Amino acid sequence: MKKILGIVGSPRLNGNTHVLVSKIIEGAEKAGASGDIILLKDLDIKECDGCHSCWKGNECSKHDDMNKLYPKIIESEIIIFGTPVYWYGPTALMKAFLDRFVYFNCPGNREKIKGKRVLLVVPFEEDDLRTARPLINMFEKSFQYLEMTLIEKIIVPGIGEKGAILKKQERLDKCYELGKKLAIRDEL
Ligand SMILES: Cc1cc2nc3c(=O)[nH]c(=O)nc-3n(C[C@H](O)[C@H](O)[C@H](O)COP(=O)(O)O)c2cc1C
């Protein structure tokens, strides 16, 4: 059974990011996968202060909720990174979460995430797709560096209000179908 972890980096409960990530997980579960959604807003994840402890293979020196998340990340086959565009980048919640992936920099820990498949889910208000470009670049480079494989990007312009995504049924259906495929296929 495939394990799929959805990370929601929006501070809005039931916001657009949450809805999109949930649809993928819903589809995946329907097709037999085991899904889990993490709302970063509910966790205490401190910013990395660059102490380099984890780079040397030691436990992260921050004793916060990220230490509970590392095992979940490691045991998941597929990870969905969901964040709205905030000033042409991700939310601060998502950036703090990603920064803590330096834990996976030392050779011992890198093996634990190398080759994992990841998806990016990004809603935003402006209609211009280029709005998401800096954010996408940042994730593409980071995933490449971490040796994870970005298999799908769900980039949704033109949604600002909380719940605006609910009016885009076609998008939601696509996310649901995508989730089903993730559960049963090794390639998309
Ligand atoms: C602090 C902040 C910054 C934002 N910056 C942008 C932006 O640069 N471009 C854009 O298109 N939308 C921007 N937005 C709008 C959000 O991306 C949009 O409302 C999105 O649908 C929120 O997703 P959520 O419901 O998952 O929180 C911003 C919203 C906030 C609160």
Side-chain angles (χ1 to χ4, degrees), residues 8 10-12 14-19 83-89 91 123-127 131 156 158-164:
V8 176
S10 166
R12 292 205 285 202
N14 298 324
N16 299 312
T17 313
H18 191 188
V19 171
T83 176
V85 172
Y86 269 23
W87 293 114
Y88 307 100
T91 60
F124 54 96
E125 186 160 18
E126 293 170 48
D127 291 317
T131 291
V156 191
I159 50 169
E161 294 297 312
K162 183 175 174 179

Side-chain angles (χ1 to χ4, degrees), residues 66-85:
M66 193 65 191
N67 286 317
K68 284 184 257 164
L69 267 187
Y70 287 128
K72 269 189 192 291
I73 292 166
I74 292 163
E75 72 189 19
S76 300
E77 224 168 294
I78 298 171
I79 305 166
I80 306 166
F81 288 72
T83 176
V85 172

Side-chain angles (χ1 to χ4, degrees), residues 6 36 116 171 180-181 185:
D36 197 359
K116 283 194 194 297
R171 282 285 191 170
K180 282 192 186 163
K181 278 191 216 157
R185 289 202 212 155

Side-chain angles (χ1 to χ4, degrees), residues 87-169:
W87 293 114
Y88 307 100
T91 60
L93 288 169
M94 177 53 81
K95 185 60 167 60
F97 173 72
L98 183 63
D99 283 357
R100 298 286 292 277
F101 272 63
V102 291
Y103 172 82
F104 296 110
N105 252 357
C106 69
N109 290 338
R110 173 59 59 83
E111 288 307 311
K112 298 173 187 169
I113 52 151
K114 191 173 172 176
K116 283 194 194 297
R117 296 188 292 154
V118 292
L119 290 86
L120 192 55
V121 173
V122 186
F124 54 96
E125 186 160 18
E126 293 170 48
D127 291 317
D128 189 343
L129 272 175
R130 287 173 299 180
T131 291
R133 201 59 244 175
L135 182 156
I136 296 169
N137 283 348
M138 187 209 71
F139 276 104
E140 282 176 345
K141 297 288 284 178
S142 304
F143 293 147
Q144 198 179 12
Y145 184 91
L146 288 161
E147 299 175 85
M148 301 198 290
T149 309
L150 180 59
I151 54 169
E152 187 77 28
K153 296 185 286 251
I154 295 119
I155 309 299
V156 191
I159 50 169
E161 294 297 312
K162 183 175 174 179
I165 189 64
L166 296 172
K167 295 191 187 122
K168 304 216 178 235
Q169 191 57 45

